[in-house]
Amino acid sequence: MTVTRRDTDTVRALRELEDGRSSVRLRAALAVGSTPDPRFVDKLVERCAIEPEFFVRDMLTWALTRHPVSVTLPELLREVRSERAQARSQALHTLSKIGDRRAWPAITPTLLADADDEVARSAWRAAVVLVPEGEESALATALATQLGRGGRETQLSLSRALVALGEAIVPALRAATTAPAPSVRAHALATRRLLRDPDAGFEFAIEEAKRIVVLGGSDQEG
């Protein structure tokens, strides 16, 4: 009787993950995470790629973290190579939450420079969580190639990722302060300011950095 009831609950939860109402999908994802079952994993991963609501996607990620890594990891590593941007982004986000460093080889330079800002931002966050000890400087160099990219949110995400690597980023930032593009120089200076003074705030740091660049300075401190 218990097995039959559980099977019935499984079928219902999987069906409700596709319901037209986001509140129903949210409850279904919560239910799946509360009673983990390897049979759910394929559907959870599949739904992550197409779910339109942020809060539901976050619950889907939580549900995946509740399942054995041996089951979820292969599925997520396959998704980071998907042609669908949301599939790549959400898989990377989930890998960062799981934190298993066996996923590190999947964080390729191509993903760190993905044309889609959301994918790139997810890759940056995942990279700083998964980077093996001793490879922080190499990662900082790769991330520094993205300085000056995008709007405020994208630049803030990159600065946060870089600052999370600590002093390993200093050489890469120093090199970037002499880049030809003013936006790259300003972003590098702002990121270095945040490394030295985390309470400065990104808006203040970037505006200060822009003034320095306009005045022809490079603020070579550090």
Side-chain angles (χ1 to χ4, degrees):
M1 178 67 71
T2 302
V3 172
T4 302
R5 174 169 298 200
R6 181 165 184 177
D7 286 346
T8 300
D9 290 345
T10 298
V11 170
R12 183 173 66 251
L14 292 176
R15 184 175 62 248
E16 289 179 347
L17 285 173
E18 297 181 341
D19 194 278
R21 295 161 293 179
S22 60
S23 59
V24 174
R25 300 196 303 275
L26 186 67
R27 282 200 308 272
L30 174 61
V32 170
S34 299
T35 55
D37 186 318
R39 291 176 296 175
F40 289 130
V41 171
D42 284 350
K43 188 64 177 180
L44 289 170
V45 171
E46 176 188 316
R47 188 67 207 176
C48 280
I50 59 175
E51 171 56 50
E53 296 293 332
F54 169 79
F55 292 110
V56 180
R57 291 199 303 273
D58 220 36
M59 189 65 78
L60 290 167
T61 283
W62 173 79
L64 282 165
T65 66
R66 298 269 296 159
H67 288 77
V69 176
S70 60
V71 179
T72 58
L73 193 58
E75 296 288 335
L76 294 169
L77 293 178
R78 187 157 43 246
E79 283 293 280
V80 301
R81 299 190 296 272
S82 171
E83 292 185 2
R84 186 188 292 268
Q86 183 172 306
R88 299 195 302 277
S89 176
Q90 200 63 25
L92 287 162
H93 174 64
T94 305
L95 287 171
S96 74
K97 294 299 183 183
I98 292 172
D100 191 306
R101 286 184 168 173
R102 287 176 294 178
W104 169 246
I107 311 299
T108 62
T110 299
L111 280 175
L112 294 174
D114 198 284
D116 185 280
D117 283 349
E118 285 301 317
V119 176
R121 290 168 62 182
S122 294
W124 302 337
R125 289 191 293 266
V128 299
V129 170
L130 300 173
V131 62
E133 187 175 350
E135 295 195 33
E136 294 87 353
S137 293
L139 175 57
T141 299
L143 291 178
T145 66
Q146 302 304 299
L147 287 165
R149 170 180 175 165
R152 179 192 178 282
E153 289 303 318
T154 298
Q155 292 194 6
L156 175 57
S157 290
L158 181 58
S159 290
R160 284 175 172 167
L162 283 162
V163 168
L165 295 174
E167 292 297 319
I169 69 173
V170 171
L173 292 182
R174 184 183 298 119
T177 61
T178 62
S183 60
V184 173
R185 299 201 301 273
H187 195 183
L189 290 170
T191 303
R192 191 164 63 190
R193 175 61 186 268
L194 291 177
L195 176 66
R196 299 293 183 230
D197 181 11
D199 295 327
F202 185 73
E203 287 293 348
F204 173 81
I206 195 69
E207 291 305 319
E208 179 186 57
K210 286 177 181 177
R211 286 194 296 273
I212 292 170
V213 169
V214 167
L215 294 171
S218 58
D219 189 24
Q220 283 299 320
E221 168 218 347

